[in-house]
Amino acid sequence: MALLVAVLGAGCTYPDDELVWGNCCALKVADETSGSKQRETLIAWGRVNNFQGDGTNSWNNTQAWRSRQIGLGLADFRKAHPGSQGPDYLAHLGMTCTPSGGSKADPTRCEVELSVWARCVAKLGMLFPAPVPEELRKPIAAVLQMTIDVSGSDILASSVQVVPLPGGRLCHR
């Protein structure tokens, strides 16, 4: 029992500020009240739990999940709007779409920037995560940037990142 208490207690003490910063931080989009249904859809696609503290996201499985979600939304949109294509759906959601070439067969890039709130969370430690440094405990105003490349109804690629507002910072020193 004493060993259990010692192990549990060890997870709660971080005497060195460097240890706290060493486990910090991942970033999570925490925008809960989005406004419109379109904005909520875009935020849901961008709300991944594996942003690095600098706002980047490089997990391939997140991109695959996002592509499936976009495809499901597009299928519903096409049922309601026969003859529509991927760029039509993404423009309906508020993205700006620009063809990347001269023909209709060329991919179209759709982009959006959304103001969001982000939160810093500990990178490691499911049961007893290290505390987030004091200066990063409040929500951070940031911008969610999303890019989706489509061709007709095919989702070719997507990327998402969080960037700080000018003069601001995210979850890193």
Side-chain angles (χ1 to χ4, degrees):
M1 185 66 153
L3 181 60
L4 179 61
V5 170
V7 169
L8 293 177
C12 299
T13 59
Y14 292 89
D16 186 351
D17 190 46
E18 284 303 313
L19 288 174
V20 172
W21 276 98
N23 192 39
C24 191
C25 283
L27 182 137
K28 182 176 180 178
V29 174
D31 195 273
E32 299 299 334
T33 55
S34 300
S36 71
K37 198 71 157 164
Q38 290 86 353
R39 179 177 162 86
E40 287 177 10
T41 298
L42 293 169
I43 297 251
W45 292 346
R47 184 183 282 133
V48 293
N49 291 328
N50 49 4
F51 284 106
Q52 300 298 319
D54 64 0
T56 59
N57 174 284
S58 59
W59 276 49
N60 289 333
N61 62 347
T62 302
Q63 184 175 350
W65 173 86
R66 188 178 316 108
S67 292
R68 282 191 304 274
Q69 296 304 307
I70 296 167
L72 292 170
L74 175 57
D76 290 342
F77 183 80
R78 291 187 74 195
K79 285 179 189 172
H81 303 90
S84 61
Q85 296 293 312
D88 302 320
Y89 172 54
L90 297 173
H92 165 76
L93 293 175
M95 298 186 85
T96 302
C97 298
T98 308
S100 61
S103 77
K104 283 193 163 204
D106 288 333
T108 298
R109 172 159 285 179
C110 298
E111 301 172 306
V112 70
E113 290 190 350
L114 301 167
S115 297
V116 295
W117 290 100
R119 292 191 78 65
C120 300
V121 295
K123 283 194 274 189
L124 303 171
M126 296 195 96
L127 291 176
F128 303 104
V132 172
E134 182 79 32
E135 62 196 87
L136 299 178
R137 291 184 187 166
K138 294 181 182 174
I140 300 168
V143 176
L144 177 72
Q145 296 177 334
M146 187 179 311
T147 302
I148 301 172
D149 294 332
V150 294
S151 179
S153 294
D154 295 327
I155 310 305
L156 304 176
S158 66
S159 67
V160 63
Q161 70 175 5
V162 177
V163 297
L165 293 178
R169 64 182 283 186
L170 295 177
C171 302
H172 52 85
R173 276 192 169 160

